[in-house]
Amino acid sequence: MFNLFDTFLGLPLHPLVVHATVVFVPLAALLVGVAAVWPAARRRLAWWPPIVTLVALVSAQVAQESGERLEARVPDTPLVRAHAHLADGLSVFVFGLLVISLVVTYLTRRSAPTQAERSRLARLVLPVAAVLGVALAAGTLVQVVRIGHSGAKAAWQQAATTTPQPRRHERD
């Protein structure tokens, strides 16, 4: 029924789990980016950016592992190799988002909004974290689009370029 990272109910697991990655990674990037630059949102979001980013990291890892299993089953083409090469780096981006989200959330929780004077550490680190958070969020979003596009090309390029045969109706 389920072969870890390979198949589920006889179907390759990769096309099933990649949808979680496509949802959670951009959501994590947006949450981290917003929390990094908008103090009011940062306080309201609380621990949601790190939690969603952790889910995104797990989904990216499962997608990568299942993709490697699927790669061993499909013909070795330049498109498949390009997709696999792009996908190898996604977890690094998401891990970076996780680190930034933890730093920003920790410093926000540590520096209560009612404090008249924020801690010196927070004043120094939060602007750097904001710049890194936005840069990582943007890079992560671009990388997800590139990976998804290359995967779609690898899966559908031949089907899209072959000449379709006319369909026969059942009455014919």
Side-chain angles (χ1 to χ4, degrees):
M1 180 172 119
F2 180 75
N3 187 354
L4 191 62
F5 300 123
D6 193 14
T7 61
F8 179 73
L9 298 175
L11 296 173
L13 187 63
H14 185 67
L16 302 173
V17 299
V18 77
H19 290 88
T21 304
V22 168
V23 170
F24 284 107
V25 171
L27 179 60
L30 289 171
L31 287 173
V32 172
V34 167
V37 298
W38 191 4
R42 184 182 312 142
R43 287 187 295 275
R44 284 203 171 124
L45 290 172
W47 287 96
W48 282 109
I51 291 167
V52 172
T53 307
L54 182 61
V55 171
L57 181 60
V58 169
S59 72
Q61 281 298 120
V62 172
Q64 183 176 352
E65 290 293 325
S66 64
E68 289 174 3
R69 301 299 191 291
L70 182 60
E71 185 180 12
R73 295 169 163 249
V74 299
D76 184 29
T77 66
L79 291 173
V80 170
R81 284 192 302 274
H83 176 64
H85 177 71
L86 283 172
D88 284 342
L90 183 61
S91 291
V92 174
F93 279 92
V94 180
F95 182 76
L97 282 175
L98 180 60
V99 170
I100 293 296
S101 69
L102 287 168
V103 167
V104 167
T105 302
Y106 172 76
L107 290 175
T108 301
R109 299 288 113 199
R110 186 169 170 252
S111 302
T114 57
Q115 274 183 320
E117 177 110 12
R118 296 170 97 186
S119 73
R120 184 173 182 203
L121 178 64
R123 280 195 320 260
L124 293 173
V125 174
L126 281 173
V128 173
V131 170
L132 289 174
V134 170
L136 270 171
T140 302
L141 290 171
V142 168
Q143 193 67 0
V144 166
V145 170
R146 292 177 67 212
I147 294 166
H149 180 71
S150 70
K153 279 177 63 175
W156 295 101
Q157 182 82 8
Q158 185 163 350
T161 58
T162 57
T163 307
Q165 300 298 319
R167 290 190 175 174
R168 298 192 64 170
H169 295 289
E170 288 185 27
R171 288 182 265 152
D172 293 341

